[in-house]
Amino acid sequence: MTEERIGQRLLTPYRVLDLTDEKGFLCGKILADMGADVIKIERPGGDPGRRLGPYYHDQPEAEKSLYWAAYNTNKRGITLDIETTTGRTLLKRLAEGADIVIESFEPGYLDRLGLGYPELEKLNGGLILVSITPFGQTGPYVDEGYRSSDLVLWAMSGFMFPNGDPDRAPNQLTFPQAYLHGGAEAAVAALTALYARAGTGEGQLVDVSILESLHTSTQLMMPTWDMYGDVIPRGSAKRGIRRPDGSVIHIQSTYECADGLFLVTIGGGSLKSFALSSAALVDWIDEEGMAGDLKGYDWSQFNYQSLTQAELDHMQQDIIGPFIKKHTKAELYEGCIARKILGCPYQDSRDVAESPQLAARDFFVRVEHPELNDTLTYCGPFIQLSETPLNEWRRAPLIGEDNVAVYEEELGLSREQLSSLRRAGVI
């Protein structure tokens, strides 16, 4: 790309063709938010992702999917049936001028259409093809034809096992997340390949496994097994620590408060920050006359290895729990900040939307939707860049909204040719 094409935004010179379904929507969105010209290519009539809810005012229509809207902002949109001969020819023409193509078809699908990386590389040696699949392009799961979903991948990653009641099956407990992890990792991988191309001039095939992207993000689950040989028990309120004698002591960190849940963990001994935090918490509890026999406790002597479960339960359930129960999340959080206590609230969607921190950083943006005669609030920039800010926001494209701009104005097709392609079901 020439210097003349470089604009105010980070990825302004680059073009991305987005052939993904919901497994890769976020990848294209991240690149679009950073300024790349991302063209979302969907089948004639609209992508199946448009049928994913929730919907604007609960109206289940293709152009009113809030799921689609959230993960396709800042993209342009065209329709194209790549299973037709003409459709494949048009995609190749688009690929000749693209920097990145992202796709999430099953392994081998594009190769069978003659659109795999070996073919596209012949047309554009600098092209980066990012393939996002549940298990990658190779391996026994692929060879055996394993099927998956966001829920299946979440369970296979180990993320789901600790969530839920100990005597019941695990729960997902959240908006689907597996595909979002895969999409985010794919965006990072695409940028890494783009950086490598700057030095070599060569593109490459980027093979992203959603399952592997989850394995790298499992927080305490895998390290706990690696270090202690323990499986974190199901149930979010308590976690267990195995002691040298083989016994397990259960530590509570999640408590019910007046309007939700609050997290605070006591500790001490050689962990000075935990000792100071725990002492400050008890001092606060004592100010309200609820500290009981914890008043004056020497937290420098606190030791999970020597405490009995009954002693720990007394601290947590008889003293700390009732104190937290009488306060709201906001009261507890403000108090923890003021007193340097290691504690924080569990935030629901309303808490996040009303966060003064996010408001101060202009995280939320208002995007106009003329087709709805409304303006909607979206999550805005995920990063603040001083010289190349993420400061342009457009709603997700309507079905085929940019067909004329791309096919006629950029590829040079005539209006008659476009009409013929529409009649034939190609676009």
Side-chain angles (χ1 to χ4, degrees):
M1 300 298 174
T2 63
E3 290 186 5
E4 289 77 12
R5 290 187 61 192
I6 299 176
Q8 295 295 316
R9 304 177 72 200
L10 193 64
L11 297 180
T12 296
Y14 303 106
R15 169 166 288 186
V16 179
L17 305 181
D18 184 350
L19 291 161
T20 65
D21 60 6
E22 63 266 30
K23 292 190 289 294
F25 284 168
L26 182 60
C27 176
K29 172 180 166 53
I30 291 173
L31 300 177
D33 289 353
M34 297 174 74
D37 177 21
V38 178
I39 300 177
K40 181 72 188 77
I41 301 175
E42 50 184 322
R43 67 182 63 174
D47 191 286
R50 293 180 179 275
R51 295 192 289 272
L52 297 173
Y55 296 93
Y56 176 77
H57 289 179
D58 295 324
Q59 300 171 11
E61 301 173 20
E63 301 289 21
K64 295 182 179 180
S65 165
L66 296 178
Y67 185 97
W68 169 270
Y71 294 115
N72 289 284
T73 50
N74 288 330
K75 301 178 185 180
R76 295 197 289 163
I78 63 173
T79 52
L80 183 64
D81 184 355
I82 63 173
E83 293 192 343
T84 65
T85 300
T86 303
R88 292 193 290 273
T89 299
L90 288 171
L91 182 66
K92 288 179 179 180
R93 289 186 62 186
L94 289 169
E96 288 176 350
D99 298 283
I100 300 170
V101 174
I102 54 177
E103 60 95 6
S104 57
F105 299 110
E106 64 180 27
Y109 174 79
L110 286 182
D111 289 312
R112 291 193 294 272
L113 294 179
L115 297 172
Y117 182 68
E119 293 301 316
L120 296 182
E121 184 186 23
K122 295 175 185 177
L123 302 172
N124 181 352
L127 185 68
I128 296 163
L129 177 61
V130 180
S131 296
I132 307 168
T133 54
F135 309 114
Q137 297 293 308
T138 59
Y141 291 172
V142 178
D143 295 340
E144 295 296 327
Y146 279 24
R147 297 294 182 181
S148 73
S149 65
D150 191 286
L151 181 65
V152 168
L153 290 167
W154 196 246
M156 292 180 71
S157 73
F159 260 123
M160 193 162 70
F161 180 82
N163 296 319
D165 296 325
D167 59 341
R168 303 179 68 182
N171 296 324
Q172 189 169 24
L173 290 181
T174 178
F175 192 81
Q177 293 289 316
Y179 291 165
L180 302 184
H181 277 265
E185 294 290 347
V188 173
L191 293 175
T192 303
L194 196 62
Y195 182 79
R197 192 186 74 174
T200 66
E202 298 178 355
Q204 58 182 299
L205 172 62
V206 179
D207 178 4
V208 178
S209 161
I210 298 173
L211 182 61
E212 290 171 20
S213 75
L214 293 170
H215 284 325
T216 64
S217 310
T218 50
Q219 299 174 350
L220 294 176
M221 279 75 84
M222 291 182 71
T224 298
W225 174 260
D226 290 339
M227 294 174 65
Y228 304 111
D230 286 341
V231 176
I232 293 179
R234 188 164 307 134
S236 60
K238 292 187 176 183
R239 61 185 178 91
I241 291 182
R242 186 174 297 278
R243 301 193 280 196
D245 63 1
S247 63
V248 176
I249 190 166
H250 293 283
I251 304 163
Q252 182 172 347
S253 56
T254 300
Y255 296 85
E256 288 189 20
C257 62
D259 57 351
L261 298 174
F262 199 83
L263 185 148
V264 63
T265 301
I266 58 174
S270 60
L271 299 174
K272 187 175 180 180
S273 60
F274 275 92
L276 292 173
S277 170
S278 300
L281 174 62
V282 172
D283 287 343
W284 187 11
I285 297 173
D286 185 50
E287 290 175 12
E288 300 190 13
M290 301 176 66
D293 56 8
L294 268 188
K295 181 178 181 179
Y297 184 86
D298 184 0
W299 290 96
S300 66
Q301 302 302 310
F302 182 90
N303 190 342
Y304 282 126
Q305 308 301 329
S306 59
L307 274 175
T308 67
Q309 187 67 59
E311 290 172 326
L312 187 57
D313 287 345
H314 170 63
M315 295 178 179
Q316 297 172 152
Q317 299 173 16
D318 298 336
I319 298 176
I320 298 173
F323 169 78
I324 291 179
K325 181 68 175 176
K326 66 177 290 192
H327 292 283
T328 65
K329 287 185 286 189
E331 292 168 347
L332 291 166
Y333 195 34
E334 291 172 5
C336 284
I337 292 172
R339 300 165 185 270
K340 296 182 171 58
I341 297 170
L342 300 174
C344 65
Y346 286 82
Q347 295 194 311
D348 58 24
S349 299
R350 182 180 296 277
D351 294 326
V352 173
E354 296 176 352
S355 166
Q357 170 68 16
L358 296 179
R361 289 178 58 81
D362 297 322
F363 177 68
F364 294 107
V365 296
R366 299 281 288 169
V367 177
E368 294 183 1
H369 281 257
E371 79 287 0
L372 300 177
N373 193 29
D374 202 350
T375 301
L376 305 183
T377 300
Y378 286 80
C379 295
F382 61 90
I383 187 173
Q384 299 284 351
L385 300 171
S386 59
E387 297 187 16
T388 53
L390 281 61
N391 58 4
E392 294 183 20
W393 301 94
R394 303 187 309 275
R395 59 151 174 75
L398 304 178
I399 299 173
E401 182 172 10
D402 296 291
N403 281 354
V404 171
V406 173
Y407 292 127
E408 184 177 336
E409 299 173 12
E410 296 184 16
L411 294 189
L413 275 64
S414 68
R415 190 63 56 90
E416 291 73 21
Q417 287 175 309
L418 259 63
S419 297
S420 177
L421 291 174
R422 290 193 191 95
R423 289 194 298 270
V426 176
I427 63 173

